Amino acid sequence: MMKQLLSPALLVLIFFLLCTTTSGQSSAPAAAPSGPSVSSGSSSGPPDITAILRKAGKFTTFIGLLKSTQVDDLINNQLKANLGFTIFAPTDSAFSDLKSGTLNSFTDEQKTALTKFHIVPSFLTISQFQTVSNPVNTVAGDSVEFPLNVISNGTQVNITTGFVNTTADSTVYSDGQLAVYEIGEVLLSQGILKPLAEAPLSPKPKKASPPNAYAPSKSTGASTISSDATCLSPYAPIVASVGVAVLAAVRLCL
């Protein structure tokens, strides 16, 4: 009788244990597949100017200028210090519109000035251009040789330099610290285009003037006297002899 009661209970216990084990295994999380991690594209650090322009896809020449002049390092380092910038970025077609060979003819100093002339050392929105004082200061320096005048109606920005008139066609990037605006022409100024100062020429040696045949000689008087004396000297003994003879004749007559 006892064996008949235990057998069903033992079977139920075994069944219960089997169910518990199976459910525990099914609830365990599956292992994640291994593979390369993918960046989300967001960054908590400051913006990188060349990365921003490269992403836009039409500023290859301007990126080359930024890197060759090391102005990109200047911008990125200042951005890390929480300073702001506004950059007018000429498109590749804008550089293509320059006279053939213009950019290649520039010295390294001119290329640096050209690049810095497109950078304003403060963050400016389109609407803020309405209140800026002209000429706007740029990283290039002296506003006399690098005059940048900006006029805005709140939606469009017109830019003049004395050599170029253009507009900010669109906003490439803006985050409250860095603003990048696309422009259709390369900004040029007197400070960029002026020729390098030439070294002063050494004065040419003066040619010796030919002697004036008609100019009186300082030794004219002395030479005349010497000439007269030379002419008389051969006849001096004869004159003396004639004089002695005359005196002798006079004495005989007396």
Side-chain angles (χ1 to χ4, degrees), residues 139-160:
V139 180
D142 185 6
S143 59
V144 175
E145 292 189 343
F146 300 96
L148 184 70
N149 296 289
V150 179
I151 301 173
S152 174
N153 59 7
T155 58
Q156 184 178 4
V157 177
N158 297 318
I159 306 167
T160 62

Side-chain angles (χ1 to χ4, degrees), residues 18 20 28 32 60 65 75 80 85 88 101 109 113 125 132 138 141 147 163 175 203 209-210 254:
L18 288 174
T20 304
T60 302
L65 279 174
I75 296 172
K80 291 177 183 177
F85 286 101
F88 297 106
E109 183 179 356
T125 63
V132 296
T138 67
F163 287 83
D175 65 354
S209 57
L254 293 176

Side-chain angles (χ1 to χ4, degrees), residues 165-176:
N165 296 319
T166 188
T167 60
D169 297 327
S170 63
T171 302
V172 178
Y173 181 88
S174 182
D175 65 354

